[in-house]
Amino acid sequence: MFESWANAFHNVFAANILLFLGKGLLNTLYISFFSIVFSLVFGTILGLMRNTKGYVLRWTATLYIEIVRNIPLLLFIIAMRFMTKLPALASGIAAITVFTSAIVAEIVRGGLNSVGKGQWEAATSQGFSRVQTMWHVIIPQAMRRIRSPLVSQFVTTIKDTSFCAVVGTYELSFTSKIVAAHRTIVTAEDILLLYLLVAMIYYVINRIFAGIARRQRGSAMKGVVR
Amino acid sequence: MYNWKTWFSDWTFFADGFLRTLYISMLGLAFTLVIGIVVGILLCGKNRVVLAVCRGYMSFFQNTPLVIQIFIYYNVLPKLGIYLDIVTIGVMGLALYTGAYAADIVHSAIKAVPTGQMEAASSQGFGYVQAMWHIILPQAVKIGLPPMTNQAVNLIKNSSVLAVIAGGELMYRADTWSGDNLIYGPTFVMTGVLYLVICLPISLLARWMEKRSVRHV
């Protein structure tokens, strides 16, 4: 029992395997980072569009959001990989951005709607224009509500990058799949240890963000005027 | 146009996958609910060991990718002499993963029921289980149903991850069929439509329930 685990440690924590997994981790972080940044930009735009009074803008955004978030992300990843000439990492980022923007848009819209109507009326009565009201009154209050679910969404996005394994992008999950087939990884202990190691890498990264999200949830409810 | 015709000539292949996705999702959802309710109620207790186990379960399953969890079931269990078929692995994987979220929902729904309800029930001679079953849970269901419905949509979408272990469900078939026939556009459009057919009504239902519950508070 003990010996087989010691062997497993020896087999999994080998320099070449760790180096290979490390490269996968870097790619996972790379895809995650750019997907999150782009999704924030496009998601915010979509969320604001869905809240405007303009008919065309609002329905374009609504249609996009409702269609995209009811289709599995994996479909976008596969389609982006096989139907475009983008390199592997870029196609992953593009697909995850297409999908996550719709989710972010919903979070942004929820935050904006959580600010009471009275805030609009009060600001207008004080001579604020629409844009001024949005910028100085609504957004600062909405931000408090938006932050926590947004950070939770980062966790989901980091986990979602593992879907790229299906199209053979060298991120952490796919590299772990390759390592699992390596000639030195044989016993149940070897494979279990390998996957637990990979799971722990994801876990540590995600736990940090989940912790931040939880802390912000506490402050979210304070000071929002209805 | 030719590509579309080819796709439609093989429609039964996709219909099979569609049904399989539905089947796995329904079973997964049933087990998710069981896990969610049991763990959610356990979280309301005071036993430290039980709490630690529940939190550990939720923390691990929420913060690691489903893909890795599925890899573990698929690759490690056979080496331990446990042979499960793909559908079982899929249902188990989806239920354990979504159950971790469902537990959170059930727990906070129970917490949202005012404590006075439990006290009133005890004062009327209800035991803990009776009070839970007759007084607390019916009220918690109303609070927890909209987020739970959203989790159902997530579960259905996540069932596509079984494509990594040749699950035979819709996404796997779309992936392999499109590669074999080199017909991408029609395949992916129709696959998207098939998922939309299941997921869109459910998420609209969730939206409607959310709106209604806000009005009643």
Side-chain angles (χ1 to χ4, degrees):
Chain A
M1 175 71 188
F2 176 75
E3 203 175 323
S4 58
W5 279 105
N7 275 334
F9 260 93
H10 181 77
N11 290 339
V12 172
F13 288 89
N16 57 338
I17 286 180
L18 292 182
L19 213 64
F20 190 59
L21 288 177
K23 279 182 192 159
L25 173 62
L26 281 183
N27 282 340
T28 287
L29 292 176
Y30 183 86
I31 299 173
S32 306
F33 177 78
F34 285 104
S35 304
I36 287 171
V37 170
F38 292 141
S39 306
L40 278 178
V41 175
F42 293 118
T44 308
I45 295 172
L46 274 171
L48 289 171
M49 273 168 68
R50 196 169 178 182
N51 252 13
T52 53
K53 293 241 160 63
Y55 204 75
V56 179
L57 280 184
R58 197 176 73 218
W59 276 101
T60 314
T62 305
L63 219 60
Y64 178 87
I65 292 167
E66 292 302 335
I67 289 177
V68 167
R69 72 187 194 109
N70 284 303
I71 291 176
L73 167 60
L74 192 48
L75 185 63
F76 296 106
I77 289 178
I78 294 174
M80 202 61 89
R81 187 76 190 106
F82 295 134
M83 292 181 71
T84 67
K85 291 212 164 65
L86 289 173
L89 293 185
S91 88
I93 293 170
I96 296 175
T97 301
V98 165
F99 179 80
T100 311
S101 296
I103 314 284
V104 170
E106 279 299 277
I107 295 172
V108 168
R109 190 179 75 109
L112 292 176
N113 286 345
S114 75
V115 180
K117 237 190 199 159
Q119 295 290 310
W120 276 102
E121 290 156 6
T124 315
S125 80
Q126 297 302 311
F128 282 75
S129 70
R130 263 190 76 85
V131 176
Q132 282 176 319
T133 309
M134 200 65 174
W135 187 250
H136 293 290
V137 181
I138 307 298
I139 289 181
Q141 295 185 68
M143 273 307 281
R144 269 187 232 139
R145 287 281 176 95
I146 291 173
R147 248 181 277 156
S148 169
L150 218 46
V151 178
S152 302
Q153 183 55 40
F154 294 169
V155 175
T156 308
T157 303
I158 294 168
K159 287 192 293 178
D160 283 351
T161 58
S162 64
F163 290 3
C164 296
V166 177
V167 292
T169 304
Y170 281 81
E171 44 67 68
L172 188 52
S173 295
F174 188 62
T175 50
S176 73
K177 191 183 173 186
I178 294 175
V179 170
H182 193 256
R183 64 190 156 72
T184 55
I185 305 293
V186 184
T187 62
E189 284 89 349
D190 290 346
I191 296 184
L192 186 58
L193 188 67
L194 168 69
Y195 280 124
L196 285 182
L197 170 69
V198 173
M200 276 308 127
I201 296 173
Y202 279 109
Y203 182 83
V204 169
I205 300 170
N206 286 332
R207 229 5 241 274
I208 294 169
F209 285 107
I212 297 172
R214 188 164 325 135
R215 212 167 313 135
Q216 278 170 346
R217 202 177 307 148
S219 63
M221 293 311 178
K222 286 177 205 151
V224 174
V225 186
R226 278 227 151 232
Chain B
M1 214 51 226
Y2 167 77
N3 286 350
W4 284 93
K5 263 188 201 148
T6 317
W7 190 89
F8 276 102
S9 69
D10 253 359
W11 72 274
T12 49
F13 181 70
F14 288 89
D16 272 354
F18 180 77
L19 290 179
R20 196 153 187 185
T21 288
L22 270 184
Y23 177 70
I24 293 174
S25 303
M26 299 263 262
L27 278 178
L29 188 60
F31 285 110
T32 296
L33 285 177
V34 173
I35 295 173
I37 291 171
V38 170
V39 177
I41 291 177
L42 288 178
L43 278 174
C44 297
K46 292 207 171 63
N47 188 325
R48 287 232 182 113
V49 179
V50 174
L51 284 181
V53 171
C54 291
R55 295 233 174 87
Y57 156 69
M58 286 160 64
S59 180
F60 180 82
F61 283 85
Q62 286 185 0
N63 289 307
T64 56
L66 178 57
V67 173
I68 294 292
Q69 293 168 23
I70 299 270
F71 277 163
I72 292 179
Y73 307 138
Y74 186 69
N75 292 313
V76 178
L77 292 184
K79 296 238 172 195
L80 298 173
I82 305 168
Y83 297 95
L84 302 173
D85 62 303
I86 293 284
V87 172
T88 313
I89 289 181
V91 170
M92 184 176 87
L94 286 168
L96 283 171
Y97 180 77
T98 322
Y101 289 94
D104 243 345
I105 293 170
V106 172
H107 176 54
S108 41
I110 292 175
K111 278 227 157 151
V113 177
T115 42
Q117 296 289 322
M118 194 50 146
E119 289 158 9
S122 328
S123 80
Q124 297 302 312
F126 281 78
Y128 181 80
V129 175
Q130 279 180 315
M132 216 28 148
W133 186 249
H134 291 290
I135 312 287
I136 307 293
L137 283 183
Q139 299 184 63
V141 165
K142 272 188 203 141
I143 303 165
L145 210 51
M148 199 64 97
T149 313
N150 279 323
Q151 282 306 324
V153 176
N154 283 339
L155 185 143
I156 296 165
K157 288 192 291 177
N158 281 332
S159 69
S160 64
V161 169
L162 298 184
V164 290
I165 55 166
E169 34 62 71
L170 186 53
M171 190 64 75
Y172 174 72
R173 289 179 190 227
D175 188 24
T176 49
W177 192 90
S178 63
D180 292 346
N181 295 282
L182 296 174
I183 297 174
Y184 295 114
T187 315
F188 297 149
V189 168
M190 289 313 292
T191 307
V193 168
L194 286 174
Y195 275 105
L196 265 182
V197 166
I198 322 176
C199 294
L200 189 60
I202 304 177
S203 56
L204 290 178
L205 177 72
R207 174 76 44 82
W208 177 74
M209 286 193 297
E210 265 162 32
K211 267 194 190 143
R212 210 182 52 152
S213 68
V214 166
R215 222 187 300 138
H216 280 285
V217 167

